[in-house]
Amino acid sequence: MAILRFIGSSCGFYDCCNPEEAWKMDSICDSYTDTVNAIAKAAMNPDANQKKELMGGLMMKTIPEWFAVMEKRIASNSSKQFIVGNKLSIADFCMAAFFFSFVYNDANPGSQGFKDILSKFNTLKAYSEGCS
């Protein structure tokens, strides 16, 4: 994330001089990292029973809860096109990376499950479709 923040601030996608927006971007990027790490932990688990249990917990609890938080962020933002502020930011990059790695990636065997969960979050779904 440090490299993303550095490049983002160098290229105008991360305004570290605006503490509130920087905090919003940081918290979204950090939650993205936490979510992807949880998915990797489950997907890479060598024990089939633990893997099934962890994936079930992700799809029943972790992902819906994270989607709900992200939907609230978009709903409270001044622009529904972006997750923070009124222009593209590193937070949008993280969200797009998630959507195109897990939801809209047909090579991902779990993509349909992610799509099913996303379909319950209209604001987040519309935002995700705008990422393309």
Side-chain angles (χ1 to χ4, degrees), residues 41-57:
K41 179 181 177 181
M44 303 293 186
N45 194 304
D47 182 283
N49 290 332
Q50 284 182 337
K51 181 178 188 171
K52 184 177 179 179
E53 184 179 323
L54 290 169
M55 289 303 290

PDB file of all heavy atoms in Angstrom, residues 41-57:
ATOM      1  N   LYS A  41      -6.291 -16.540   2.517  1.00  0.00           N
ATOM      2  CA  LYS A  41      -6.122 -17.496   3.616  1.00  0.00           C
ATOM      3  C   LYS A  41      -7.082 -18.675   3.457  1.00  0.00           C
ATOM      4  O   LYS A  41      -6.697 -19.829   3.659  1.00  0.00           O
ATOM      5  CB  LYS A  41      -6.362 -16.809   4.963  1.00  0.00           C
ATOM      6  CG  LYS A  41      -6.234 -17.716   6.158  1.00  0.00           C
ATOM      7  CD  LYS A  41      -6.511 -16.991   7.462  1.00  0.00           C
ATOM      8  CE  LYS A  41      -6.434 -17.959   8.629  1.00  0.00           C
ATOM      9  NZ  LYS A  41      -6.734 -17.285   9.900  1.00  0.00           N
ATOM     10  N   ALA A  42      -8.302 -18.382   3.080  1.00  0.00           N
ATOM     11  CA  ALA A  42      -9.285 -19.450   2.890  1.00  0.00           C
ATOM     12  C   ALA A  42      -8.975 -20.264   1.641  1.00  0.00           C
ATOM     13  O   ALA A  42      -8.951 -21.505   1.676  1.00  0.00           O
ATOM     14  CB  ALA A  42     -10.689 -18.855   2.799  1.00  0.00           C
ATOM     15  N   ALA A  43      -8.719 -19.600   0.539  1.00  0.00           N
ATOM     16  CA  ALA A  43      -8.512 -20.283  -0.736  1.00  0.00           C
ATOM     17  C   ALA A  43      -7.255 -21.141  -0.746  1.00  0.00           C
ATOM     18  O   ALA A  43      -7.213 -22.178  -1.422  1.00  0.00           O
ATOM     19  CB  ALA A  43      -8.452 -19.261  -1.869  1.00  0.00           C
ATOM     20  N   MET A  44      -6.243 -20.735  -0.006  1.00  0.00           N
ATOM     21  CA  MET A  44      -4.966 -21.463   0.001  1.00  0.00           C
ATOM     22  C   MET A  44      -4.861 -22.480   1.129  1.00  0.00           C
ATOM     23  O   MET A  44      -3.836 -23.139   1.263  1.00  0.00           O
ATOM     24  CB  MET A  44      -3.803 -20.472   0.115  1.00  0.00           C
ATOM     25  CG  MET A  44      -3.768 -19.429  -0.950  1.00  0.00           C
ATOM     26  SD  MET A  44      -3.411 -20.184  -2.533  1.00  0.00           S
ATOM     27  CE  MET A  44      -3.247 -18.736  -3.540  1.00  0.00           C
ATOM     28  N   ASN A  45      -5.904 -22.612   1.919  1.00  0.00           N
ATOM     29  CA  ASN A  45      -5.844 -23.541   3.044  1.00  0.00           C
ATOM     30  C   ASN A  45      -5.719 -24.975   2.524  1.00  0.00           C
ATOM     31  O   ASN A  45      -6.547 -25.413   1.725  1.00  0.00           O
ATOM     32  CB  ASN A  45      -7.089 -23.389   3.917  1.00  0.00           C
ATOM     33  CG  ASN A  45      -6.926 -24.071   5.249  1.00  0.00           C
ATOM     34  OD1 ASN A  45      -6.642 -25.250   5.337  1.00  0.00           O
ATOM     35  ND2 ASN A  45      -7.099 -23.297   6.309  1.00  0.00           N
ATOM     36  N   PRO A  46      -4.709 -25.707   2.978  1.00  0.00           N
ATOM     37  CA  PRO A  46      -4.503 -27.066   2.468  1.00  0.00           C
ATOM     38  C   PRO A  46      -5.521 -28.090   2.985  1.00  0.00           C
ATOM     39  O   PRO A  46      -5.724 -29.133   2.371  1.00  0.00           O
ATOM     40  CB  PRO A  46      -3.093 -27.419   2.949  1.00  0.00           C
ATOM     41  CG  PRO A  46      -2.875 -26.552   4.148  1.00  0.00           C
ATOM     42  CD  PRO A  46      -3.659 -25.299   3.896  1.00  0.00           C
ATOM     43  N   ASP A  47      -6.178 -27.768   4.079  1.00  0.00           N
ATOM     44  CA  ASP A  47      -7.167 -28.680   4.651  1.00  0.00           C
ATOM     45  C   ASP A  47      -8.525 -28.397   4.021  1.00  0.00           C
ATOM     46  O   ASP A  47      -9.076 -27.301   4.181  1.00  0.00           O
ATOM     47  CB  ASP A  47      -7.225 -28.495   6.173  1.00  0.00           C
ATOM     48  CG  ASP A  47      -8.191 -29.448   6.839  1.00  0.00           C
ATOM     49  OD1 ASP A  47      -9.420 -29.192   6.747  1.00  0.00           O
ATOM     50  OD2 ASP A  47      -7.726 -30.432   7.441  1.00  0.00           O
ATOM     51  N   ALA A  48      -9.076 -29.359   3.310  1.00  0.00           N
ATOM     52  CA  ALA A  48     -10.326 -29.167   2.569  1.00  0.00           C
ATOM     53  C   ALA A  48     -11.489 -28.760   3.480  1.00  0.00           C
ATOM     54  O   ALA A  48     -12.304 -27.914   3.105  1.00  0.00           O
ATOM     55  CB  ALA A  48     -10.679 -30.428   1.794  1.00  0.00           C
ATOM     56  N   ASN A  49     -11.570 -29.345   4.659  1.00  0.00           N
ATOM     57  CA  ASN A  49     -12.661 -29.001   5.582  1.00  0.00           C
ATOM     58  C   ASN A  49     -12.531 -27.581   6.109  1.00  0.00           C
ATOM     59  O   ASN A  49     -13.518 -26.837   6.163  1.00  0.00           O
ATOM     60  CB  ASN A  49     -12.716 -29.996   6.743  1.00  0.00           C
ATOM     61  CG  ASN A  49     -13.185 -31.366   6.306  1.00  0.00           C
ATOM     62  OD1 ASN A  49     -13.940 -31.499   5.341  1.00  0.00           O
ATOM     63  ND2 ASN A  49     -12.705 -32.398   6.984  1.00  0.00           N
ATOM     64  N   GLN A  50     -11.306 -27.200   6.482  1.00  0.00           N
ATOM     65  CA  GLN A  50     -11.084 -25.830   6.948  1.00  0.00           C
ATOM     66  C   GLN A  50     -11.325 -24.834   5.815  1.00  0.00           C
ATOM     67  O   GLN A  50     -11.892 -23.769   6.037  1.00  0.00           O
ATOM     68  CB  GLN A  50      -9.664 -25.668   7.479  1.00  0.00           C
ATOM     69  CG  GLN A  50      -9.447 -26.279   8.836  1.00  0.00           C
ATOM     70  CD  GLN A  50      -8.028 -26.042   9.337  1.00  0.00           C
ATOM     71  OE1 GLN A  50      -7.104 -25.809   8.573  1.00  0.00           O
ATOM     72  NE2 GLN A  50      -7.861 -26.111  10.658  1.00  0.00           N
ATOM     73  N   LYS A  51     -10.875 -25.196   4.625  1.00  0.00           N
ATOM     74  CA  LYS A  51     -11.068 -24.314   3.461  1.00  0.00           C
ATOM     75  C   LYS A  51     -12.555 -24.058   3.235  1.00  0.00           C
ATOM     76  O   LYS A  51     -12.982 -22.916   3.056  1.00  0.00           O
ATOM     77  CB  LYS A  51     -10.441 -24.952   2.225  1.00  0.00           C
ATOM     78  CG  LYS A  51     -10.545 -24.141   0.973  1.00  0.00           C
ATOM     79  CD  LYS A  51      -9.832 -24.864  -0.167  1.00  0.00           C
ATOM     80  CE  LYS A  51      -9.738 -24.018  -1.388  1.00  0.00           C
ATOM     81  NZ  LYS A  51      -8.869 -24.622  -2.413  1.00  0.00           N
ATOM     82  N   LYS A  52     -13.352 -25.119   3.272  1.00  0.00           N
ATOM     83  CA  LYS A  52     -14.800 -24.996   3.070  1.00  0.00           C
ATOM     84  C   LYS A  52     -15.424 -24.129   4.167  1.00  0.00           C
ATOM     85  O   LYS A  52     -16.258 -23.262   3.878  1.00  0.00           O
ATOM     86  CB  LYS A  52     -15.445 -26.379   3.047  1.00  0.00           C
ATOM     87  CG  LYS A  52     -16.904 -26.369   2.741  1.00  0.00           C
ATOM     88  CD  LYS A  52     -17.463 -27.773   2.657  1.00  0.00           C
ATOM     89  CE  LYS A  52     -18.948 -27.721   2.360  1.00  0.00           C
ATOM     90  NZ  LYS A  52     -19.528 -29.065   2.245  1.00  0.00           N
ATOM     91  N   GLU A  53     -15.003 -24.341   5.397  1.00  0.00           N
ATOM     92  CA  GLU A  53     -15.532 -23.567   6.525  1.00  0.00           C
ATOM     93  C   GLU A  53     -15.149 -22.086   6.401  1.00  0.00           C
ATOM     94  O   GLU A  53     -15.988 -21.198   6.587  1.00  0.00           O
ATOM     95  CB  GLU A  53     -14.996 -24.135   7.841  1.00  0.00           C
ATOM     96  CG  GLU A  53     -15.553 -23.463   9.067  1.00  0.00           C
ATOM     97  CD  GLU A  53     -15.014 -24.080  10.357  1.00  0.00           C
ATOM     98  OE1 GLU A  53     -14.831 -25.307  10.409  1.00  0.00           O
ATOM     99  OE2 GLU A  53     -14.780 -23.304  11.305  1.00  0.00           O
ATOM    100  N   LEU A  54     -13.889 -21.820   6.076  1.00  0.00           N
ATOM    101  CA  LEU A  54     -13.432 -20.442   5.930  1.00  0.00           C
ATOM    102  C   LEU A  54     -14.123 -19.741   4.767  1.00  0.00           C
ATOM    103  O   LEU A  54     -14.543 -18.585   4.883  1.00  0.00           O
ATOM    104  CB  LEU A  54     -11.914 -20.393   5.744  1.00  0.00           C
ATOM    105  CG  LEU A  54     -11.072 -20.754   6.971  1.00  0.00           C
ATOM    106  CD1 LEU A  54      -9.603 -20.920   6.583  1.00  0.00           C
ATOM    107  CD2 LEU A  54     -11.226 -19.707   8.058  1.00  0.00           C
ATOM    108  N   MET A  55     -14.256 -20.425   3.641  1.00  0.00           N
ATOM    109  CA  MET A  55     -14.925 -19.827   2.479  1.00  0.00           C
ATOM    110  C   MET A  55     -16.403 -19.561   2.794  1.00  0.00           C
ATOM    111  O   MET A  55     -16.945 -18.532   2.400  1.00  0.00           O
ATOM    112  CB  MET A  55     -14.790 -20.716   1.240  1.00  0.00           C
ATOM    113  CG  MET A  55     -13.387 -20.759   0.661  1.00  0.00           C
ATOM    114  SD  MET A  55     -12.711 -19.148   0.199  1.00  0.00           S
ATOM    115  CE  MET A  55     -13.695 -18.724  -1.217  1.00  0.00           C
ATOM    116  N   GLY A  56     -17.029 -20.479   3.511  1.00  0.00           N
ATOM    117  CA  GLY A  56     -18.418 -20.270   3.909  1.00  0.00           C
ATOM    118  C   GLY A  56     -18.574 -19.036   4.776  1.00  0.00           C
ATOM    119  O   GLY A  56     -19.498 -18.236   4.586  1.00  0.00           O
ATOM    120  N   GLY A  57     -17.654 -18.862   5.726  1.00  0.00           N
ATOM    121  CA  GLY A  57     -17.687 -17.678   6.589  1.00  0.00           C
ATOM    122  C   GLY A  57     -17.480 -16.387   5.811  1.00  0.00           C
ATOM    123  O   GLY A  57     -18.133 -15.374   6.078  1.00  0.00           O
TER     124      GLY A  57
END
